[in-house]
Amino acid sequence: MELGINILGIIVFLFIGWVFSKDKKKINYKSVGIMTVLNIFLAWFLTSFPAGRDAVKAAADGFDWIVKVAYKGINFALANWVGPNGVHPAPANFLVSALLPILLIVPLFDILTYIGFLPWLIKWIGRGLSFITRQPKFESFFAVEMMFLGNTEALAVSQLQVKQMKAERNVVLAMMSMSCVTASILGSYMQMVPGQYIITAVPLNCINALISTNLLFPTIVSPEEDTIATVGGTEIEDAEKGENDTVAEEEGMVDANGKREPFFSFLGNSILGAGKLILIILANVITFVALAGLADKILGGVGGWLATLFHASWLKNLSLESILGVVLYIPAWLMGLSPHLAWSFSQLMGLKLVTNEFVVMEKVTGHILHFAPHYKAVLTVFLTSFANLSTTGMIIGAFKGMVDKAKNDLISKNVVRMFLSGILVSLLSAAMVGLFVW
């Protein structure tokens, strides 16, 4: 019964994308079908097939090892914040356990970019994805790029391409950016929720972002437009024409004269950037948790007054979570959850969309390991993305600094589709993993 509801959920989520499509005639149904089958296969392979499970476990263990190495540095500078070996006992607060490891992980990924390995990996995975899914080259590149770099970072290193693209394709990139996650922050997630499902969610989100944009905002790309100007600021040979496209200047990688920045100068900038990222995340988490608490206090007061006025005791528990829980209950139930778990899941979904994934992960950490396997899997996968209200503002702000007013206005006009795209990607990824974890 639950499996049948889960399958129905995937169909319903795809149908919602079709219902809210800007132009149903332009949808590439064959490509959507190919990508859906591919993602269901990936979900099966990564959760049920021994080789897939081993690969996911190895990746999760790798990130866990990196975080433990980061604890060594934390312990050196901030003795007694973690144990004498930098690992045990477990850190007592969110800053130490989830954020300070970023000071190692972000520079590590930046080094991989500096030496050219990460751009090379993105290039070939993107080309393979484009060939399989029959999606435009750059959109496929971008799906992989944002999986490693994050939304604003991927946009920043691809700004030359973004400026050259037509306005409709800019909207597609904005919608895809709602569903990204940066590899450098996965280690932080894994300190709070099961790592194997986080690793599984990343490639699924990548492909589901292409599916949702194909449904919600289908855009026809001609062969002449289907070129790649730059990826990560490095020169890329066009696969069709065999010509070298323009080399972009990537901030922090090359100077104004096009010369590579000295390694230690680059590393210093990377470390400073990691520090700023920690402060940004910490400030956002503190503010959004406080605002959510304020909203709950106000709603609780209003609910108490209404409960007295109308003699309805259930209104006393009025809160932001309870309101969003009602709105999102049906999508949660379509995950194949029992009514009780669906109600709990829907409230966590709403909290994540209003605040961010860190707020919910911190709330369930320590408890989620005791959840039922299916609930644990779908909840973790749903949380593994940047899809929330604040991300919408970040993306619009990033485009304002890169494209003209007409292009930015078109993106702003489709902000509801942007937000819906992020929700659909998270729902699809969670439902696909849920098919194979019970």
Side-chain angles (χ1 to χ4, degrees):
M1 177 66 177
E2 289 84 1
L3 178 60
I5 294 173
N6 200 149
I7 294 172
L8 176 64
I10 295 175
I11 297 171
V12 170
F13 301 147
L14 292 172
F15 179 71
I16 291 172
W18 179 83
V19 168
F20 290 95
S21 177
K22 179 179 180 293
D23 190 345
K24 297 178 179 63
K25 295 180 180 178
K26 291 183 179 179
I27 296 176
N28 187 338
Y29 292 101
K30 187 173 184 179
S31 179
V32 169
I34 291 172
M35 290 188 288
T36 301
V37 172
L38 173 62
N39 242 12
I40 292 175
F41 170 80
L42 275 177
W44 167 78
F45 179 77
L46 295 175
T47 58
S48 304
F49 194 71
R53 290 199 305 268
D54 290 344
V56 168
K57 184 179 184 303
D61 289 345
F63 276 102
D64 184 58
W65 178 80
I66 293 172
V67 170
K68 288 178 180 177
V69 173
Y71 282 163
K72 297 284 186 179
I74 295 168
N75 190 60
F76 175 79
L78 302 166
N80 301 322
W81 280 35
V82 290
N85 296 319
V87 180
H88 298 293
N93 61 66
F94 172 70
L95 175 64
V96 176
S97 63
L99 297 186
L100 289 186
I102 290 174
L103 288 170
L104 170 64
I105 300 172
V106 168
L108 177 61
F109 275 85
D110 282 345
I111 290 170
L112 293 176
T113 300
Y114 186 88
I115 64 177
F117 175 75
L118 194 57
W120 175 84
L121 188 65
I122 291 170
K123 176 182 72 172
W124 288 109
I125 294 177
R127 285 186 176 177
L129 186 61
S130 176
F131 176 78
I132 295 171
T133 63
R134 304 186 183 186
Q135 291 300 297
K137 294 185 184 69
F138 185 76
E139 279 77 349
S140 299
F141 267 134
F142 189 77
V144 179
E145 202 172 24
M146 69 178 187
M147 180 173 67
F148 286 98
L149 304 179
N151 43 28
T152 55
E153 294 88 345
L155 288 169
V157 301
S158 303
Q159 59 181 308
L160 182 62
Q161 178 84 34
V162 170
K163 291 176 181 178
Q164 293 177 354
M165 296 168 72
K166 62 184 180 181
E168 289 79 8
R169 293 181 73 187
N170 283 164
V171 176
V172 170
L173 297 189
M175 292 171 64
M176 291 175 65
S177 297
M178 288 294 297
S179 307
C180 80
V181 62
T182 171
S184 61
I185 213 167
L186 294 181
S188 298
Y189 289 170
M190 291 178 192
Q191 303 309 299
M192 296 180 281
V193 292
Q196 69 269 32
Y197 298 126
I198 292 173
I199 297 296
T200 301
V202 171
L204 298 185
N205 286 350
C206 173
I207 298 174
N208 279 329
L210 291 169
I211 292 175
S212 70
T213 53
N214 264 266
L215 292 171
L216 291 169
F217 202 87
T219 303
I220 296 176
V221 179
S222 67
E224 293 76 22
E225 296 173 307
D226 192 14
T227 58
I228 300 171
T230 181
V231 176
T234 56
E235 190 175 76
I236 301 296
E237 185 178 21
D238 185 88
E240 298 294 329
K241 299 179 180 180
E243 299 172 354
N244 289 331
D245 289 311
T246 308
V247 180
E249 180 182 313
E250 179 182 348
E251 184 178 357
M253 287 286 290
V254 296
D255 59 23
N257 297 318
K259 295 181 179 179
R260 181 182 289 269
E261 183 180 10
F263 175 75
F264 286 102
S265 174
F266 164 78
L267 182 60
N269 289 333
S270 175
I271 294 170
L272 287 175
K276 291 178 183 177
L277 179 62
I278 290 173
L279 292 176
I280 290 169
I281 293 173
L282 188 62
N284 273 276
V285 169
I286 291 172
T287 302
F288 276 112
V289 169
L291 287 173
L294 177 62
D296 283 343
K297 288 288 185 182
I298 295 172
L299 289 170
V302 173
W305 176 73
L306 292 174
T308 303
L309 184 63
F310 295 105
H311 304 287
S313 59
W314 61 271
L315 286 172
K316 291 181 179 180
N317 298 320
L318 191 65
S319 66
L320 188 63
E321 289 182 29
S322 64
I323 293 172
L324 292 169
V326 172
V327 175
L328 296 167
Y329 177 77
I330 296 300
W333 177 75
L334 286 170
M335 293 288 172
L337 297 170
S338 66
H340 172 70
L341 289 180
W343 176 250
S344 172
F345 184 34
S346 66
Q347 294 183 70
L348 293 174
M349 288 166 62
L351 183 61
K352 188 256 186 184
L353 295 174
V354 173
T355 56
N356 58 51
E357 71 282 3
F358 275 109
V359 174
V360 183
M361 287 181 181
E362 178 67 11
K363 184 172 183 176
V364 301
T365 187
H367 307 289
I368 193 170
L369 295 178
H370 305 294
F371 290 178
H374 181 74
Y375 184 32
K376 184 194 310 180
V378 296
L379 175 59
T380 302
V381 173
F382 183 87
L383 295 177
T384 308
S385 81
F386 292 165
N388 57 60
L389 287 174
S390 61
T391 297
T392 305
M394 289 173 59
I395 294 169
I396 292 175
F399 272 97
K400 277 186 176 180
M402 291 187 291
V403 299
D404 58 39
K405 186 177 183 300
K407 290 182 178 180
N408 194 72
D409 285 348
L410 183 61
I411 293 171
S412 299
K413 288 178 182 177
N414 287 278
V415 69
V416 174
R417 282 196 177 93
M418 282 176 57
F419 193 56
L420 179 58
S421 175
I423 296 173
L424 285 180
V425 170
S426 295
L427 289 172
L428 282 169
S429 295
M432 288 173 177
V433 169
L435 290 174
F436 307 103
V437 181
W438 296 95

